[in-house]
Amino acid sequence: MKTLGVIFIIIGVSIGLIGSISHQNNSTISLSTLSDITDTLIAKPDAKEIVSLLGITGEGKWNGGEFRYSTVSDVSYNKHSDVRLSSANKWLSNEPERDKEIKQFQKAIDEILSNNEVGPKGKRQSSVYLAIARELNYLSQKKVDRKYLLLYSDLMENTSELSFYSTQSMLWLKDYPDSVRDHLNKLQNLNNLTGITVIIIYQPENPAQDQIFRVVSEFYRKLLEEKGATVTITANLN
């Protein structure tokens, strides 16, 4: 009877170990990057910084990551590039092979960024809001653990419908931001953005740019936070 009891204990422990191995908790982060090519002074996204933010290095190497890249340009629709790293089970995977997969994933991100750096920068018009709204609405539908939008832009809308370069528009942004928000919502309504972290990355070149950027970035902060997003405004990612 004692022998039978020991056998049951061993079986129970084995089942517990198998269960813990098969039910390893991994997370997946989806990260979108929008790079503004209408301005030659915009900071550039970096593959190493993106991989770090995705949390797939060190102890997080078994997590999954999704990277999606597009641009802010003078038109409202722009092409996207995507690459994905699936999560893996630490106990059932080969660690050197996993390290290789992560390096390949980072290389793929670097290639996407490098390929999109080819070509002239600077445009007469900037369709900023529609690019942001469509990317955030895309992220809002993702079923992942965390979501990020990295936005490399001065946020200066400049289309035939609305231009932040006009004195009148800047006055409306300061004194009547709800009217500007309503106008933009008519172009594209935003979904519920709860669970999305938006990081706006831009460094003004001079005090005049800084003053304008503070007004525009604060408008966007309130606009996105009202929809549930968490917004950070910074000069650099790290």
Side-chain angles (χ1 to χ4, degrees):
M1 292 297 292
K2 288 183 178 179
T3 303
L4 187 60
V6 171
I7 292 173
F8 280 133
I9 290 172
I10 293 173
I11 292 174
V13 171
S14 299
I15 291 174
L17 288 173
I18 293 171
S20 63
I21 290 173
S22 62
H23 288 88
Q24 180 190 354
N25 291 323
N26 289 326
S27 64
T28 297
I29 295 176
S30 186
L31 187 151
S32 289
T33 296
L34 285 177
S35 186
D36 194 334
I37 63 170
T38 68
D39 192 326
T40 58
L41 301 175
I42 300 298
K44 300 175 182 178
D46 179 81
K48 289 183 179 179
E49 293 179 345
I50 288 168
V51 167
S52 177
L53 188 59
L54 283 168
I56 54 173
T57 57
E59 290 300 315
K61 68 172 63 178
W62 310 105
N63 294 328
E66 300 175 351
F67 174 73
R68 175 175 158 107
Y69 177 90
S70 189
T71 58
V72 173
S73 74
D74 54 352
V75 296
S76 57
Y77 285 96
N78 298 281
K79 68 176 184 178
H80 293 85
S81 299
D82 303 78
V83 63
R84 187 177 190 276
L85 176 72
S86 298
S87 61
N89 191 297
K90 178 179 180 179
W91 309 108
L92 303 177
S93 302
N94 180 284
E95 189 164 358
E97 186 64 29
R98 182 61 174 179
D99 291 336
K100 183 179 178 181
E101 290 175 354
I102 293 172
K103 287 182 179 179
Q104 291 174 338
F105 180 62
Q106 181 173 319
K107 182 180 179 182
I109 294 174
D110 194 45
E111 288 177 352
I112 289 173
L113 298 178
S114 298
N115 290 339
N116 282 278
E117 284 301 317
V118 178
K121 298 292 189 298
K123 305 284 185 180
R124 292 179 62 87
Q125 291 193 329
S126 303
S127 181
V128 178
Y129 173 76
L130 284 175
I132 294 173
R134 287 171 179 153
E135 199 60 33
L136 286 173
N137 284 349
Y138 164 81
L139 279 173
S140 72
Q141 300 176 57
K142 298 291 293 182
K143 304 299 182 183
V144 295
D145 298 282
R146 282 182 286 169
K147 311 170 194 179
Y148 288 92
L149 172 62
L150 301 186
L151 177 55
Y152 293 83
S153 177
D154 61 0
L155 307 175
M156 292 297 288
E157 188 83 14
N158 187 26
T159 67
S160 59
E161 297 170 312
L162 177 66
S163 175
F164 290 168
Y165 288 96
S166 73
T167 303
Q168 184 63 41
S169 291
M170 288 305 298
L171 290 174
W172 277 86
L173 273 176
K174 290 180 181 178
D175 300 330
Y176 306 103
D178 289 349
S179 296
V180 180
R181 179 201 61 198
D182 292 343
H183 171 77
L184 293 176
N185 282 336
K186 288 179 182 178
L187 298 177
Q188 177 71 61
N189 194 36
L190 288 167
N191 294 343
N192 186 318
L193 305 179
T194 300
I196 300 177
T197 297
V198 180
I199 304 176
I200 301 171
I201 304 158
Y202 178 71
Q203 184 172 7
E205 190 180 29
N206 52 57
Q209 283 186 359
D210 182 61
Q211 184 177 16
I212 294 172
F213 181 69
R214 280 196 315 234
V215 174
V216 179
S217 61
E218 188 60 23
F219 167 78
Y220 264 101
R221 182 202 293 276
K222 291 179 179 178
L223 175 70
L224 301 181
E225 286 182 344
E226 285 175 359
K227 289 292 185 174
T230 300
V231 181
T232 298
I233 302 169
T234 181
N236 55 283
L237 188 55
N238 286 334

